[in-house]
Amino acid sequence: MYEKKSDLLLRKNLVDEIKGMDISELQDFASIIRNVIVDTVNQNGGHLSSNLGTVELTLALYRVFDFPGKDMLVWDTGHQTYTHKILTGRAPLFQTIRKKGGLSGFTNIFESPYDSFGAGHVGTSIAAALGFEKAKRLSGEPGEVIAVIGDGALTSGNALESLNQVAGQKSNLKIIINDNGMSISDNVGSFANNFSLIRTGKGYNSFKKQLKTFLHETHLTGLESTLEWIRDNMKHNLLPESIFETMGFKYLGPIDGHDLETLIKVLSNINEGYKKPVVLHIHTKKGCGIEYAEKKPNIFHGVSPREKGIDGEKNTAQQLSFSDAFGYTLAKFADYDEKLVAITSAMDIGTGLYHFKESCEERFFDLGITEQSSLVFAAALALKGFHPVYAVYSTFLQRAYDQIIHDIALQKIPMIIGVDRAGLVGSDGPTHHGTFDIVMLNPIPNIKLYSPDSIQSLIKMMNYISREKWNVQSPVFIRYPREKETITYEDLNRLITQNVKMNPERWELVHAGEEENDTEVIIFAVGTTFKYCQKIIDQVDFSVNLVKVTSVKPMDYQLIHKLFDIKKQKFVVTIEEGIRTGGFGQNLVNYLRNRYNHQIEGVKILGMDDFIPHGKRSELLNNVGLSAKEILNTINSEIEQIKCKHKYII
């Protein structure tokens, strides 16, 4: 066995090695893996408690099945796959996880053949596994397909739709529900473990067939019905009632997901001949093996790198995230507005709405991972006179595009949607970057889309639209990044109590350049890109106007006309932390070309047009040309071309 963690991190053939380990060795190995995960997350950040909860399950799966050869393994979300990555040839690279150029924090089909399906969002595993199984059967390939999904993910519409399809497709899919206490009964004990072993064993199933044959041959079918009645009552009284059996599954469990010996036996029995779909319900503990992560599993679901180790202590620095500021402000607004309600889709901590939950629980609603349902639920509340605020990550809002158009915008629902994690989020990577919300929302009629440049602007904006008077007549989206700023709760309280307001639809001209040149630069900076421009504006060798764009939709046509009434040639630069095609910049430039084309000497639209990999947020901004340094380089380069053109004309 491995005497220290560094031994494990040098090995590539761990899948083969664990097949030869006895239970005691596997248990020791599980402890080593936990230490490696904790140390790495301590350095890099990442998903901690969910990965600590799946160590034994992953070891048992690789001990029993042949991945990725005969069998296939599909993980839901991929945020619980660190042990899977360590086992599958990536142990030497594990310390690079979530770093620029290193391993992804989720499953990634471009990273390893063991990652059968890339997943950063929940609910995809059952549909993907069903598709893989169908492909195997059509191709005549043997083997099992196993999907691992968390109980919380079962609230996802995608997962429920897929569950409903399994029996209809005559599938033999094996689904493991990793129940870590989010939504499914925790009825786990020695009886449940032993009963599952009995029901999956060859002897039990052989005896069932023989007994049924005997009863039919001796015409004692009445006794068979009586035995079935006894069996069903035992199952439903001694085990959790299962909706899965009514959907055509063989339901097994719940069993202890940290009991390696039982897990291996049950999985081995499942692997030896179930010709129907099976749901195995296991119970695990998020953060298992690490005391502070067990006590606060939600706090340690996703953590940032810590200089002095992960210990559960709050950061003492006077910094708050946009999410915290948004949630805290809403909680304070509840004192002013008795109709205010807050809604989340299983992200009360991530979106900062835990503040509202703690102070006003009766008006707080967590609907699980159901973005589509959450929006319709909020719409109905609004139509009954309430003032709903729904907070959701930008990348998760994508799941509810139909509801945004059909149920929210079309009906002009007066509600607020906080679009959290807009822009580049950093180490979570392309599945979590919020780069599509502007292009997604921009074409939709009846909506407004605001983008504060700072936390102070966010609070002033919220004061303007919802503190005392619900100044919302149609859907209002407020997008803000995954960033922290040096600001305190005392600062927030001052802004709220003094009711400092800002109309986001009035852009601000914060820098007017000198007027000696024949051409002037106008920079339209959306949201927090404005602060990068502030850093470099004095280093631009030209006459410059810098515009703080706080409303992507509607645009401030009054200020635009004021700027272009000055009869000078303009070089227009737009900057947004999102996809360029169909974004703010293209929309603005199209308008300017139609109205002021004779004044426009040049245009530069800064943004992105690709899926951006993972890495530190600062690194990624630099890579895509949106850091202060890269913005300055781009503008100066364009200005040099203008100067050269003028010199040539002269």
Side-chain angles (χ1 to χ4, degrees):
M1 275 300 292
Y2 309 101
E3 295 182 359
K4 51 187 179 179
K5 290 174 284 186
S6 58
D7 294 338
L8 179 147
L9 294 174
L10 295 173
R11 308 297 284 262
K12 287 189 174 183
N13 61 339
L14 293 171
V15 170
D16 293 333
E17 291 187 34
I18 66 168
K19 290 185 182 295
M21 294 180 188
D22 60 28
I23 296 299
S24 176
E25 289 174 323
L26 280 172
Q27 290 169 339
D28 291 341
F29 192 45
S31 297
I32 294 172
I33 288 176
R34 277 193 170 85
N35 289 332
V36 168
I37 289 173
V38 171
D39 287 350
T40 304
V41 173
N42 189 33
Q43 294 296 319
N44 299 6
H47 292 91
L48 183 65
S49 52
S50 55
N51 280 291
L52 294 175
T54 56
V55 175
E56 286 82 7
L57 170 62
T58 310
L59 290 173
L61 283 166
Y62 275 96
R63 174 67 174 267
V64 172
F65 294 97
D66 178 22
F67 308 127
K70 183 181 71 170
D71 304 312
M72 293 190 72
L73 175 61
V74 186
W75 293 93
D76 206 272
T77 310
H79 71 304
Q80 54 190 340
T81 58
Y82 288 8
T83 302
H84 158 82
K85 287 177 181 274
I86 289 170
L87 295 181
T88 54
R90 288 169 277 184
L93 295 172
F94 188 67
Q95 290 176 317
T96 71
I97 197 164
R98 293 169 58 89
K99 288 186 175 180
K100 182 183 175 185
L103 295 178
S104 168
F106 302 93
T107 50
N108 185 334
I109 62 172
F110 304 110
E111 187 176 286
S112 169
Y114 285 90
D115 292 0
S116 59
F117 197 82
H121 291 186
V122 303
T124 60
S125 61
I126 299 173
L130 190 59
F132 285 137
E133 185 196 43
K134 185 62 68 176
K136 284 171 72 70
R137 301 298 175 258
L138 290 171
S139 303
E141 298 177 15
E144 300 288 352
V145 181
I146 295 93
V148 180
I149 184 169
D151 60 315
L154 283 175
T155 63
S156 162
N158 193 355
L160 294 173
E161 288 174 8
S162 304
L163 271 175
N164 192 45
Q165 294 300 317
V166 172
Q169 294 298 322
K170 298 183 173 62
S171 167
N172 293 327
L173 199 63
K174 308 302 183 282
I175 299 172
I176 298 174
I177 297 176
N178 175 24
D179 172 7
N180 51 37
M182 297 297 289
S183 63
I184 296 180
S185 167
D186 58 358
N187 182 13
V188 174
S190 60
F191 177 81
N193 283 352
N194 291 332
F195 198 71
S196 294
L197 282 173
I198 292 170
R199 294 177 68 207
T200 60
K202 286 182 178 178
Y204 171 74
N205 288 290
S206 176
F207 171 73
K208 264 196 351 181
K209 291 177 182 177
Q210 291 175 19
L211 179 60
K212 183 171 285 193
T213 301
F214 170 75
L215 292 172
H216 278 280
E217 289 176 351
T218 56
H219 306 289
L220 296 175
T221 51
L223 180 58
E224 180 184 359
S225 299
T226 302
L227 291 173
E228 286 178 350
W229 180 86
I230 293 171
R231 179 203 65 191
D232 291 342
N233 274 275
M234 283 182 65
K235 283 166 58 180
H236 292 298
N237 284 298
L238 296 174
L239 295 172
E241 290 191 27
S242 174
I243 191 175
F244 302 110
E245 296 213 348
T246 66
M247 299 175 75
F249 289 90
K250 180 76 171 180
Y251 171 79
L252 305 170
I255 66 172
D256 185 350
H258 301 297
D259 182 343
L260 266 167
E261 187 170 11
T262 301
L263 273 174
I264 290 170
K265 287 180 180 178
V266 172
L267 289 173
S268 297
N269 289 337
I270 289 173
N271 191 31
E272 290 176 1
Y274 265 91
K275 299 306 177 187
K276 67 178 297 185
V278 173
V279 164
L280 173 61
H281 175 185
I282 71 168
H283 188 281
T284 61
K285 184 180 290 185
K286 289 187 76 173
C288 181
I290 306 298
E291 184 178 359
Y292 55 78
E294 286 186 18
K295 287 182 177 179
K296 299 178 179 179
N298 288 339
I299 297 295
F300 290 98
H301 171 75
V303 299
S304 300
R306 308 281 178 121
E307 293 181 359
K308 297 181 179 180
I310 301 172
D311 54 10
E313 296 299 318
K314 287 186 176 180
N315 188 349
T316 56
Q318 294 295 299
Q319 286 196 323
L320 293 175
S321 67
F322 276 78
S323 308
D324 262 330
F326 185 82
Y328 183 82
T329 302
L330 277 183
K332 292 296 181 183
F333 281 10
D335 295 335
Y336 299 99
D337 182 359
E338 63 181 15
K339 293 286 188 179
L340 188 68
V341 293
I343 301 147
T344 182
S345 300
M347 297 301 295
D348 61 321
I349 294 176
T351 60
L353 287 189
Y354 69 93
H355 291 293
F356 196 99
K357 180 181 179 181
E358 290 173 356
S359 66
C360 197
E361 189 169 7
E362 71 278 5
R363 287 190 266 153
F364 169 81
F365 305 98
D366 184 347
L367 302 187
I369 304 169
T370 59
E371 289 79 8
Q372 294 171 285
S373 296
S374 296
L375 276 172
V376 177
F377 174 83
L381 280 165
L383 291 174
K384 289 296 289 182
F386 283 88
H387 302 156
V389 179
Y390 175 49
V392 59
Y393 289 5
S394 170
T395 185
F396 297 160
L397 186 63
Q398 295 164 185
R399 289 195 280 248
Y401 198 47
D402 179 56
Q403 283 66 38
I404 295 170
I405 295 173
H406 180 271
D407 303 303
I408 306 301
L410 180 61
Q411 301 188 98
K412 298 185 72 173
I413 299 297
M415 63 178 292
I416 296 172
I417 299 94
V419 185
D420 202 334
R421 266 68 165 175
L424 298 173
V425 298
S427 301
D428 280 338
T431 58
H432 283 60
H433 293 319
T435 54
F436 290 95
D437 51 76
I438 292 179
V439 300
M440 184 172 77
L441 298 169
N442 225 0
I444 304 175
N446 295 340
I447 73 163
K448 296 183 177 183
L449 176 56
Y450 300 153
S451 189
D453 65 292
S454 66
I455 288 178
Q456 283 209 24
S457 290
L458 172 64
I459 308 309
K460 294 175 184 178
M461 195 178 286
M462 291 171 69
N463 281 338
Y464 179 79
I465 61 176
S466 63
R467 179 183 178 272
E468 291 174 331
K469 181 182 178 183
W470 187 249
N471 189 21
V472 179
Q473 287 79 43
S474 62
V476 173
F477 294 79
I478 307 175
R479 69 185 305 266
Y480 43 90
R482 187 184 189 180
E483 276 192 0
K484 290 184 176 181
E485 291 184 357
T486 303
I487 192 170
T488 66
Y489 286 117
E490 289 75 19
D491 295 327
L492 299 186
N493 283 328
R494 177 182 55 79
L495 289 167
I496 294 167
T497 55
Q498 294 180 6
N499 200 14
V500 184
K501 296 180 179 180
M502 179 189 80
N503 181 352
E505 296 175 27
R506 292 290 171 260
W507 298 348
E508 188 177 346
L509 182 61
V510 297
H511 184 279
E514 300 299 326
E515 298 184 1
E516 303 123 10
N517 302 309
D518 293 328
T519 300
E520 64 180 1
V521 177
I522 305 179
I523 303 173
F524 295 91
V526 176
T528 53
T529 65
F530 164 76
K531 65 185 180 185
Y532 312 136
C533 296
Q534 268 191 314
K535 293 178 181 179
I536 53 95
I537 196 69
D538 293 330
Q539 302 174 55
V540 176
D541 186 22
F542 229 77
S543 174
V544 177
N545 285 313
L546 174 61
V547 179
K548 182 197 295 185
V549 176
T550 48
S551 173
V552 173
K553 183 174 184 173
M555 293 192 292
D556 186 353
Y557 296 104
Q558 183 177 327
L559 179 59
I560 292 171
H561 297 161
K562 179 181 177 182
L563 288 167
F564 278 82
D565 281 345
I566 301 171
K567 304 302 180 183
K568 274 190 172 187
Q569 292 297 103
K570 317 290 185 185
F571 178 70
V572 176
V573 180
T574 70
I575 308 172
E576 60 197 296
E577 201 174 319
I579 295 296
R580 258 190 307 241
T581 304
F584 166 80
Q586 280 198 353
N587 195 29
L588 174 63
V589 168
N590 286 342
Y591 176 80
L592 295 177
R593 290 284 192 198
N594 287 331
R595 190 174 179 113
Y596 299 106
N597 193 50
H598 61 285
Q599 284 183 249
I600 297 177
E601 185 158 6
V603 166
K604 189 68 177 179
I605 300 173
L606 296 181
M608 294 161 264
D609 274 319
D610 205 349
F611 291 109
I612 310 302
H614 60 276
K616 290 182 180 178
R617 180 166 154 76
S618 57
E619 294 173 333
L620 300 181
L621 286 170
N622 197 61
N623 286 357
V624 300
L626 295 181
S627 66
K629 175 185 174 183
E630 289 303 312
I631 291 171
L632 177 63
N633 289 341
T634 299
I635 293 175
N636 279 335
S637 174
E638 296 289 337
I639 287 173
E640 283 302 312
Q641 293 183 40
I642 291 173
K643 287 180 177 178
C644 289
K645 185 173 71 172
H646 286 184
K647 189 180 295 184
Y648 177 78
I649 291 172
I650 292 171

